[in-house]
Amino acid sequence: MPAVASVLVTFVGVLLFAVSQVAIAEALVSSVPQVFRITNLLRTIDLTQTLVRETTSAAILNIGTELQSEYYFPVDQAYTPNLALITAENRKTKESLEIEKDSQYTNEQYQFYKVHLSPPLGAGEKIQITVKSVLSNFIRPFPAIIGQSEKQGFMYSGNAFALSAYPASKQKTTVQTPGKNMQIHARPVDSKLQVTSNGLVLGPFGKIDAFVQDALQVEYEMPGPVIHFREFRRDVEVAHWGSNLAFEDHYNFINRGAGLKGQYIRKGARRPPTSVEGGNPVKAFVVGIPKLARDIYYRDEIGNISTSSIHHLDKAIGLSLVPRFPIFGGWNTTFYTGYNAPLDGFVHRVPDTEKYILKMYLFDLIKESSYDKVEVRVVLPEGSKNVKAHLPFNVDSIEYSVSKMYMDSVGRSTVTIKARNLVEDHVQELFVEYEYPESAYLIKPLAAASMLMGVFLVSMVFSRLNLQIQGQVPVKAKQI
């Protein structure tokens, strides 16, 4: 009897959970305007790199009676901390569509994004849109620790269906993996499965209701490190007098690959950094820096690191940074790099005005990299004013302040940009507008001349002071 009771309790619990999920789905469907029907839904999950890239293409039909200009795309709240980037476009014309967070329908379970359809979709009309997203730090090593030369595996856990706020007449999910060595631990029951040489295909499925979810777990092999920077800080100094732009980048790195089991054996240490010997160590970072860079350096807390090299590309310089030791999974290190560049390659003056525009990348490219905290500080020349920064994506904050450095009098206008959860796709151009009148060129010389004049005046005053200590002359006693 106790066994039967426990079975009944378990059955009732599962039944209540299923009923609650159905109720939640019905509530969500009733909250989002059901003005669209998706005739075909294609979803691709790219697991060939350490960043998970999802592409969802939907052919939508306006089943309402009015023009519709807003399409809602849901994201599970469990994924939002890992969602680094989301974009939308017209699938046929490749024209970008505006996408933004929506607060009207967002709840504890789903974060909704509003896609603005341009032009609005008329009654009975169709359009094909594509939503692309990038998830950072989403996959986990499986197993969590491996030997120095063992193969590295990862586990992907997600939704087998393309999450949608609208019902779909047909859909299919494609998973791309680095190779054919993979195992499927969970998928929808009785779902059609096709395994390929570099992934798998689920479906096509028939009619799928809105907000339907089912477990999908795929284990697969992928060698190499998981490059992640816990903190990144870039300091940029603009100098009009020296016609120079100085960059200095500080990195706090951790390898998020599988941890190292046992002790590190220094075998093959003399092999080139690009050679493959198993495991997941970082033997070199390759950073793409501007073509005009000069005076390049690579250092850490100990001092200069001489194990670096450069190779010239068509539009950039490949800077290869070899750390002092291979960095295995779970290991971390800090270092910083810097270089100078001619100002005229980055700063341009607007004709017949006192306005200048600085155009540079927010940070330099390191492939398959992700960043927790990013801070970029741009220090403009003394006397600049009316500063404004522009970025093609949203950041946490853009602060304007005044900082004083050596030989400064009024201080330098400074722009500080702070952001979180960035990936290599955010290597985009930063524009900083500022006004710099010709009279500002005299601030530094006048400050230096005033300082020297002050030194001369002080020295003249002190040279004319009599600082000698003199005692009283003794009075001779009169003789009687």
Side-chain angles (χ1 to χ4, degrees), residues 2 43 64 87 234 240 245 250 273 288 293 305 372 389 427 437 446 455 469:
R43 179 189 181 209
T87 60
R234 160 166 280 192
H240 276 248
L245 195 63
H250 294 254
I305 304 177
D372 266 348
V427 181
L446 290 176
V455 172
I469 301 176

Side-chain angles (χ1 to χ4, degrees), residues 451-470:
M451 185 189 67
L452 293 175
M453 183 63 68
V455 172
F456 290 148
L457 289 174
V458 171
S459 63
M460 288 173 59
V461 170
F462 274 93
S463 66
R464 283 164 173 73
L465 292 177
N466 185 8
L467 302 178
Q468 184 177 0
I469 301 176
Q470 296 180 352

Side-chain angles (χ1 to χ4, degrees), residues 258-328:
L260 178 63
K261 180 171 60 178
Q263 295 182 349
Y264 165 58
I265 302 175
R266 197 175 180 82
K267 64 177 182 179
R270 296 183 179 272
R271 296 185 182 182
T274 54
S275 65
V276 178
E277 71 174 74
N280 60 3
V282 175
K283 294 187 176 181
F285 300 95
V286 180
V287 187
I289 63 176
K291 189 77 171 178
L292 301 174
R294 61 176 186 266
D295 306 327
I296 304 169
Y297 58 88
Y298 168 38
R299 301 168 185 163
D300 61 6
E301 289 84 352
I302 300 176
N304 183 64
I305 304 177
S306 59
T307 53
S308 62
S309 60
I310 62 172
H311 55 279
H312 293 272
L313 306 175
D314 293 338
K315 298 182 179 179
I317 293 177
L319 175 60
S320 179
L321 306 175
V322 180
R324 297 183 184 273
F325 51 87
I327 306 172
F328 287 86

Side-chain angles (χ1 to χ4, degrees), residues 41-95:
L41 189 58
L42 302 176
R43 179 189 181 209
T44 301
I45 306 171
D46 186 356
L47 303 178
T48 58
Q49 298 181 350
T50 56
L51 299 174
V52 178
R53 300 178 182 273
E54 292 194 10
T55 303
T56 304
S57 298
I60 62 176
L61 170 67
N62 183 0
I63 58 176
T65 58
E66 301 177 351
L67 288 173
Q68 301 296 333
S69 60
E70 296 175 350
Y71 173 86
Y72 291 94
F73 184 85
V75 175
D76 197 307
Q77 290 284 17
Y79 300 168
T80 52
N82 307 98
L83 183 62
L85 184 68
I86 184 168
T87 60
E89 66 179 16
N90 186 310
R91 187 180 181 186
K92 285 189 175 181
T93 64
K94 303 302 180 182
E95 179 184 358

Side-chain angles (χ1 to χ4, degrees), residues 297-466:
Y297 58 88
Y298 168 38
R299 301 168 185 163
D300 61 6
E301 289 84 352
I302 300 176
N304 183 64
I305 304 177
S306 59
T307 53
S308 62
S309 60
I310 62 172
H311 55 279
H312 293 272
L313 306 175
D314 293 338
K315 298 182 179 179
I317 293 177
L319 175 60
S320 179
L321 306 175
V322 180
R324 297 183 184 273
F325 51 87
I327 306 172
F328 287 86
W331 294 15
N332 61 83
T333 186
T334 58
F335 60 92
Y336 64 98
T337 63
Y339 53 87
N340 294 317
L343 191 66
D344 55 5
F346 297 85
V347 176
H348 303 279
R349 182 175 182 176
V350 179
D352 302 326
T353 65
E354 297 178 340
K355 179 183 292 186
Y356 291 82
I357 299 178
L358 167 65
K359 183 175 71 172
M360 51 168 277
Y361 286 110
L362 190 66
F363 53 93
D364 294 327
L365 175 63
I366 299 178
K367 292 184 177 180
E368 299 185 43
S369 58
S370 58
Y371 302 78
D372 266 348
K373 298 179 182 179
V374 174
E375 180 177 334
V376 178
R377 190 175 67 129
V378 181
V379 181
L380 299 173
E382 196 171 18
S384 56
K385 57 184 181 180
N386 297 331
V387 183
K388 187 69 174 178
H390 303 276
L391 274 168
F393 55 88
N394 295 327
V395 294
D396 292 344
S397 66
I398 300 179
E399 302 173 0
Y400 301 94
S401 60
V402 176
S403 57
K404 287 192 175 183
M405 303 174 70
Y406 50 89
M407 295 290 291
D408 285 346
S409 54
V410 298
R412 307 186 186 191
S413 298
T414 304
V415 182
T416 304
I417 300 170
K418 296 181 180 180
R420 289 177 176 268
N421 194 15
L422 300 187
V423 292
E424 59 176 306
D425 303 68
H426 290 105
V427 181
Q428 301 182 34
E429 290 181 334
L430 162 67
F431 294 89
V432 179
E433 298 179 3
Y434 62 96
E435 293 182 6
Y436 190 65
E438 294 182 357
S439 59
Y441 281 92
L442 301 176
I443 294 178
K444 190 69 69 178
L446 290 176
S450 300
M451 185 189 67
L452 293 175
M453 183 63 68
V455 172
F456 290 148
L457 289 174
V458 171
S459 63
M460 288 173 59
V461 170
F462 274 93
S463 66
R464 283 164 173 73
L465 292 177
N466 185 8

Side-chain angles (χ1 to χ4, degrees), residues 78-139:
Y79 300 168
T80 52
N82 307 98
L83 183 62
L85 184 68
I86 184 168
T87 60
E89 66 179 16
N90 186 310
R91 187 180 181 186
K92 285 189 175 181
T93 64
K94 303 302 180 182
E95 179 184 358
S96 297
L97 300 176
E98 181 184 355
I99 183 171
E100 61 180 351
K101 280 187 176 181
D102 177 75
S103 58
Q104 181 178 1
Y105 301 112
T106 296
N107 51 58
E108 295 181 355
Q109 190 170 5
Y110 298 109
Q111 168 68 59
F112 284 88
Y113 286 83
K114 185 191 302 182
V115 180
H116 296 271
L117 303 179
S118 179
L121 196 63
E125 294 181 349
K126 293 182 179 181
I127 188 175
Q128 294 184 16
I129 65 173
T130 298
V131 177
K132 298 180 180 180
S133 60
V134 181
L135 300 172
S136 64
N137 303 318
F138 187 74
I139 54 175

